[in-house]
């Protein structure tokens, strides 16, 4: 019988130098030594950001004691960890998300209460980092240098699982003027690059990874979080958006390098604004071809969405009916592109 | 400070819980997999408004998951009923049975395998019919095959080749070689139909099975959940001293009264269940079960080694006489854990 949430997010292993943050600018194509951010002084001032008044060192102390709290959309989260280095990326990426120290006695009941601890396989083995929620580790442990990506993937799992009473699709989702575009994460789609670019170009980010749609209202639930970029898209986004905040790339992953972009403040501030799905766009990245788009028949769109829905079994017929309704009421398109600028222009002009 | 066991025993305590207490209790309720059952019980008691949104959300998720499994099980059982020759009665046991029988403890409950009991004479025919429609027999060594077919009350778990659902085919609820010589015939005779050809054990027998299973399973991590199932069944089906007398009498008829008494005593100590402890008396094993349940409910409570051993030994001894148990354990310790659910 099927499990509640069968997502396999976070099966990548990485070698990493976590917790360092830098801004990438076009004048430094080969970025210099990483700078550990110890204060809110910014090398590049992008859009106005509100900063947590907490310093990274205070966060580190909190992390290893009562924990650090933050919000992901409607979910109240707390994380505790013996790995202090996690406090740096938290400080930089989650500053707008209600980041605070947990107190010994909380007056909030947490939706997600995570812990990243130590795991050692045998006496002389190395010590790994392990992510767990309610004492259960959903993901394999990773070398402690990879504690930040492990945290992000663990959080993906926890949010996806907890959203199981809603539709949870492996897709990015952005919004403008009250209309949301869903970008399913089929292999080779370039969803991450496209959604990051859209988020940094005036579209509001709801999520780069998890499209959660309420079953009753059919409205998409914003869950803005750091955007993950892989491989070449790190440089593509970094050079195109010099004012964006990126973590230092993690280079030794099975899927190439990984970096995280801080979510735009606007997206976080507006995370209670739920919107209907106006378009489902299936992007296909194809080197060297001119941009072309075609309509996708509703039945095909439905089929492809179902394939990408993590909890399709759990939702049963109610989920099927809801997705049918969404597809029937949205513009369903496939867009093949090779040039990011062309793709962004096309989206701006044609969607919703 | 209220803990999970207090809450299980008295759902109405949730009204007074502070956030800090919920933050301690909620993860334990998830970990022990009682969140759905407890949530449904709280809703039955009209306590929905007292639950913080984070708790309500977790309950909703557990209830949805449980409902989906219940749907899936009913669908599987329909297929199994079509596959197995009509003259062979199918008696559903454990989790699936609580769902079919509409027991309170079945609502919101998470379970994974399907357990079915058929008369021993029909075991081979039932197994063949199941294999023919995609249920793969459990892979076993020659020793394991003998272990299961000659000694145990069930075959190695069968897994459906496509859906990967796991099915346990029983012919009794205790092993053939158990020192407690249980004749399953009275269970079949008292079984109540839910559909044509599909039965569940009579309510009292479901309680007896639940109690026996609590002792015989021997898994220290599952004691709280098993005891909570028993508590809910007792609350629903056993009323007053008369009810308890009938339950104990049935347990005696089936030849398992010591096992049932251990379980009833543990549930009583944990939850102050209906049954009166004075009538049953407390046993050393019951006290160990209580210790294990309390360790399940609280991450900061350590599971004593003595408790682990006592529960494991009791489980083994209930399943086999010492003359068989000792060589079996010796073999296991050399060869390693058997595939499937060998003890």
């Amino acid at each position: 019988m099927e499990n509640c949430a069968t997502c396999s997010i976070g099966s990548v292993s990485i070698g990493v130098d976590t917790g360092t943050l830098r801004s990438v600018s076009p004048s430094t194509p080969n970025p210099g030594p990483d700078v550990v951010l110890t204060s809110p002084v910014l090398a590049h001032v992008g859009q106005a950001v509100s900063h947590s008044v907490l310093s990274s060192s205070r966060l580190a102390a909190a992390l290893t004691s009562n924990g650090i709290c933050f919000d992901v959309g409607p979910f109240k989260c707390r994380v505790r960890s013996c790995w202090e280095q996690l406090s740096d990326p938290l400080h930089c990426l989650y500053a707008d998300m209600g980041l605070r120290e947990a107190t010994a006695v909380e007056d909030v009941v947490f939706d997600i209460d995570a812990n990243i601890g130590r795991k050692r396989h045998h006496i002389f083995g190395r010590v790994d980092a392990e992510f767990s929620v309610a004492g259960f580790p959903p993901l394999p442990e990773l070398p402690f240098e990879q504690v930040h990506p492990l945290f992000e993937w663990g959080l993906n799992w926890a949010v996806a699982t907890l959203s199981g009473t809603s539709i949870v699709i492996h897709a990015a989702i952005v919004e403008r003027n009250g209309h949301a575009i869903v970008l399913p994460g089929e292999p080779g789609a370039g969803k991450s690059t496209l959604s990051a670019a859209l988020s940094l170009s005036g579209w509001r980010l709801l999520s780069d990874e998890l499209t959660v749609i309420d079953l009753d209202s059919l409205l998409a639930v914003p869950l803005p979080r750091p955007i993950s970029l892989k491989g070449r898209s790190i440089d593509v986004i970094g050079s195109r958006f010099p004012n964006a905040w990126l973590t230092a790339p993690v280079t030794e992953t099975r899927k190439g390098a990984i970096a995280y972009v801080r979510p735009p403040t606007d997206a976080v501030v507006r995370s209670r604004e739920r919107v209907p799905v106006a378009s489902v766009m299936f992007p296909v990245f194809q080197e060297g071809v001119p941009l072309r788009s075609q309509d996708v028949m509703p039945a095909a769109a439905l089929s492809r969405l179902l394939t990408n829905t993590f909890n399709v079994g759990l939702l049963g017929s109610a989920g099927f009916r809801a997705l049918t309704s969404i597809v029937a009421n949205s513009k369903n398109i496939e867009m093949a592109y090779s040039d990011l600028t062309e793709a962004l222009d096309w989206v701006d002009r044609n969607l919703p | 400070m209220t803990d999970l066991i207090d809450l299980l025993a008295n759902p109405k305590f949730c009204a007074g819980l502070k956030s800090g207490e919920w933050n301690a209790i909620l993860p334990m309720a998830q970990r022990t997999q009682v969140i759905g059952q407890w949530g449904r019980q709280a809703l039955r008691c009209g306590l929905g408004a007292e639950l913080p949104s984070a708790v309500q959300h977790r309950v909703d998720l557990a209830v949805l998951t449980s409902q989906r499994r219940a749907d899936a099980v009913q669908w599987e059982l329909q297929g199994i009923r079509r596959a197995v020759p009509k003259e062979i009665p199918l008696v559903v046991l454990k989790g699936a049975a609580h769902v079919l029988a509409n027991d309170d403890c079945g609502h919101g409950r998470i379970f994974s395998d399907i357990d079915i009991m058929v008369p021993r004479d029909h075991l081979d025919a039932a197994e063949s019919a199941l294999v023919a429609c995609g249920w793969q027999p459990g892979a076993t060594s020659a020793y394991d095959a003998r272990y299961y077919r000659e000694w145990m009350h069930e075959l190695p778990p069968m897994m459906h080749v496509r859906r990967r659902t796991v099915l346990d085919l029983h012919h009794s609820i205790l092993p053939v070689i158990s020192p407690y010589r249980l004749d399953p015939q009275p269970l079949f005779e008292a079984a109540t139909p839910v559909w044509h050809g599909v039965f569940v054990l009579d309510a009292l027998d479901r309680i007896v099975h639940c109690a026996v299973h609590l002792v015989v399973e021997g898994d220290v991590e599952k004691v709280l959940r098993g005891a909570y199932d028993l508590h809910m069944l007792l609350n629903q089906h056993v009323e007053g001293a008369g009810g308890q007398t009938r339950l104990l009498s049935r347990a005696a008829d089936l030849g398992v009264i010591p096992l049932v008494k251990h379980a009833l005593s543990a549930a009583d100590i944990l939850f102050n269940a209906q049954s009166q402890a004075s009538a049953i008396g407390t046993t050393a094993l019951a006290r160990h079960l209580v210790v294990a349940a309390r360790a399940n409910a609280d991450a900061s409570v350590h599971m004593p080694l003595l408790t682990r051993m006592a529960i494991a030994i009791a489980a083994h001894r209930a399943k086999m006489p010492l003359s068989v148990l000792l060589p079996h354990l010796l073999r296991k310790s050399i060869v390693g854990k058997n595939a499937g659910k060998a003890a």
Side-chain angles (χ1 to χ4, degrees):
Chain A
M1 282 182 263
E2 290 177 43
N3 289 320
C4 173
T6 56
C7 56
S8 55
I9 302 169
S11 54
V12 187
S13 67
I14 338 176
V16 80
D17 183 21
T18 24
T20 57
L21 188 80
R22 61 183 170 77
S23 272
V24 179
S25 82
S27 61
T28 57
N30 289 315
D34 294 322
V35 174
V36 176
L37 199 69
T38 54
S39 78
V41 173
L42 307 178
H44 292 265
V45 179
Q47 58 193 111
V49 274
S50 60
H51 283 285
S52 158
V53 295
L54 294 175
S55 67
S56 187
S57 54
R58 264 186 68 179
L59 279 179
L63 188 62
T64 54
S65 58
N66 293 320
I68 295 176
C69 308
F70 55 92
D71 299 329
V72 175
F75 300 130
K76 303 252 169 253
C77 307
R78 173 170 63 180
V79 62
R80 285 176 275 199
S81 180
C82 57
W83 303 105
E84 281 193 2
Q85 59 265 54
L86 188 58
S87 61
D88 272 341
L90 281 176
H91 177 246
C92 301
L93 298 171
Y94 284 77
D96 298 328
M97 294 163 65
L99 194 66
R100 64 174 176 86
E101 298 161 293
T103 51
V105 177
E106 277 287 329
D107 58 6
V108 159
V109 183
F110 295 106
D111 294 285
I112 295 172
D113 207 349
N115 184 71
I116 309 183
R118 288 189 179 84
K119 182 167 175 163
R120 191 195 292 265
H121 292 284
H122 47 85
I123 295 179
F124 301 111
R126 59 171 294 140
V127 180
D128 288 338
E130 186 176 67
F131 178 96
S132 60
V133 177
F136 168 69
L139 305 175
E141 64 278 2
L142 289 175
F144 64 81
E145 295 90 348
Q146 305 170 21
V147 67
H148 174 225
L150 176 64
F151 166 74
E152 298 291 346
W153 290 326
L155 209 50
N156 282 347
W157 181 91
V159 170
T161 310
L162 190 55
S163 303
T165 50
S166 302
I167 303 169
V168 184
I169 311 173
H170 181 219
I173 178 168
V174 296
E175 173 266 329
R176 196 171 65 178
N177 297 327
H179 301 298
I181 312 175
V182 174
L183 300 114
E186 294 174 337
K191 146 182 89 69
S192 301
T193 316
L194 208 45
S195 62
L198 288 165
S199 311
L200 295 166
S201 310
W203 289 78
R204 175 169 68 109
L205 174 75
L206 276 74
S207 179
D208 72 319
E209 185 74 32
L210 298 171
T211 293
V212 174
I213 302 175
D214 180 78
L215 261 186
D216 298 320
S217 64
L218 297 188
L219 298 177
V221 179
L223 295 159
R225 267 184 52 222
I227 306 168
S228 73
L229 297 174
K230 294 193 270 287
R232 284 187 311 172
S233 73
I234 301 173
D235 287 331
V236 166
I237 297 294
S239 52
R240 193 190 171 89
F241 301 98
N243 293 330
W245 282 93
L246 270 72
T247 56
V250 177
T251 49
E252 284 168 31
T253 89
R254 285 210 297 266
K255 294 183 182 178
I258 292 196
Y260 290 91
V261 185
R262 178 196 233 162
T265 306
D266 183 63
V268 177
V269 159
R270 294 171 60 192
S271 64
R272 287 183 196 275
E273 291 177 32
R274 302 182 174 192
V275 283
V277 174
S279 310
V280 180
M281 188 178 82
F282 298 88
V284 180
F285 180 73
Q286 280 178 333
E287 284 265 27
V289 299
L291 189 145
R292 62 174 171 77
S293 72
Q294 61 188 33
D295 287 343
V296 176
M297 292 182 59
L302 176 62
S303 172
R304 289 165 84 170
L305 274 186
L306 286 168
T307 308
N308 281 289
T309 302
F310 289 124
N311 59 343
V312 66
L314 185 59
L315 294 171
S317 56
F320 184 88
R321 277 197 296 275
L323 280 167
T324 305
S325 180
I326 289 169
V327 161
N329 290 310
S330 68
K331 195 166 172 179
N332 306 308
I333 299 164
E334 184 176 276
M335 181 192 68
Y337 71 104
S338 56
D339 179 78
L340 185 60
T341 306
E342 237 189 312
L344 290 176
D345 284 343
W346 188 93
V347 171
D348 268 347
R349 280 183 284 113
N350 291 283
L351 294 179
Chain B
M1 185 159 129
T2 310
D3 71 0
L4 175 60
I5 294 180
D6 294 328
L7 204 57
L8 295 178
N10 298 288
K12 59 185 182 312
F13 285 2
C14 68
L17 282 185
K18 303 197 227 355
S19 299
E21 292 172 296
W22 278 119
N23 283 326
I25 290 175
L26 189 58
M28 299 316 299
Q30 288 169 244
R31 199 166 166 174
T32 52
Q33 298 191 303
V34 297
I35 181 70
Q37 287 169 288
W38 180 84
R40 280 298 304 262
Q41 184 62 18
L43 293 173
R44 251 181 243 118
C45 299
L47 294 162
E50 311 292 345
L51 303 181
S53 66
V55 177
Q56 183 64 66
H57 197 87
R58 289 272 174 200
V59 168
D60 289 344
L61 188 57
V63 167
L64 177 65
T65 309
S66 154
Q67 181 59 52
R68 199 58 63 223
R69 295 212 184 224
D71 294 343
V73 152
Q74 302 207 48
W75 185 85
E76 291 279 12
L77 282 171
Q78 285 164 9
I80 291 167
R81 180 65 278 176
R82 280 194 300 272
V84 173
K86 289 190 194 26
E87 63 272 15
I88 305 177
L90 302 176
V91 180
V92 182
L93 304 174
K94 294 200 211 159
H98 295 313
V99 168
L100 290 183
N102 211 22
D103 286 329
D104 288 344
C105 72
H107 297 144
R109 192 173 185 283
I110 309 293
F111 61 97
S112 49
D113 302 351
I114 305 178
D115 293 84
I116 298 178
M117 185 171 71
V118 299
R120 197 173 187 193
D121 295 340
H122 294 303
L123 190 63
D124 289 342
E127 190 193 13
S128 300
L130 290 168
V131 170
C133 64
W135 294 92
Q136 288 178 317
T140 53
S141 63
Y143 178 86
D144 290 348
R146 181 175 167 230
Y147 171 87
Y148 273 102
R149 298 206 99 92
E150 291 185 16
W151 295 348
M152 284 296 110
H153 53 296
E154 55 186 353
L155 296 182
M158 308 177 81
M159 181 185 278
H160 194 275
V161 60
R162 246 190 301 131
R163 294 187 297 278
R164 315 196 70 73
T165 314
V166 176
L167 169 64
D168 294 325
L169 193 57
H170 299 241
H171 55 86
S172 180
I173 63 171
L174 266 184
V176 171
I177 57 165
S178 168
Y180 299 93
R181 304 207 143 277
L182 180 138
D183 177 9
Q185 188 58 28
L187 298 174
F188 284 102
E189 281 163 9
T192 54
V194 284
W195 313 322
H196 187 63
V198 176
F199 302 81
V200 291
L201 296 177
D202 172 71
L204 281 186
D205 290 341
R206 291 201 297 279
I207 298 176
V208 168
H209 189 199
C210 180
V212 165
H213 187 71
L214 182 60
V215 175
V216 158
E217 182 169 38
D219 185 345
V220 292
E221 301 303 332
K222 293 187 179 163
V223 174
L224 177 61
R225 208 181 89 145
Y228 187 50
D229 282 339
L230 183 59
H231 168 68
M232 290 189 83
L233 286 169
L234 291 167
N235 273 351
Q236 184 179 5
H237 297 292
V238 175
E239 230 178 287
Q244 180 171 288
T245 306
R246 273 193 298 281
L247 175 64
L248 292 173
S249 166
R250 181 62 169 172
D253 291 342
L254 291 168
V256 290
I257 206 168
L259 298 176
V260 170
K261 281 187 173 179
H262 292 308
L264 289 180
S265 174
D268 182 71
I269 296 170
L270 283 167
F271 307 114
N272 296 317
Q274 267 193 295
S275 52
Q276 292 105 42
S278 53
I280 299 168
T282 307
T283 62
L285 178 61
R287 280 192 288 271
H288 280 297
L289 289 171
V290 168
V291 168
R294 290 197 172 130
N296 292 162
D298 190 335
S300 63
V301 171
H302 174 66
M303 181 83 67
L305 181 60
L306 189 59
T307 298
R308 284 186 193 273
M309 287 173 57
I311 289 175
I313 289 170
H316 280 299
R317 289 188 64 189
K319 287 196 279 206
M320 320 178 167
L322 270 179
S323 58
V324 175
L325 175 62
L326 291 176
H328 171 71
L329 286 178
L330 188 63
R331 184 178 195 278
K332 252 189 71 175
S333 67
I334 296 169
V335 168
K337 216 165 172 55
N338 294 326
K341 276 170 44 182

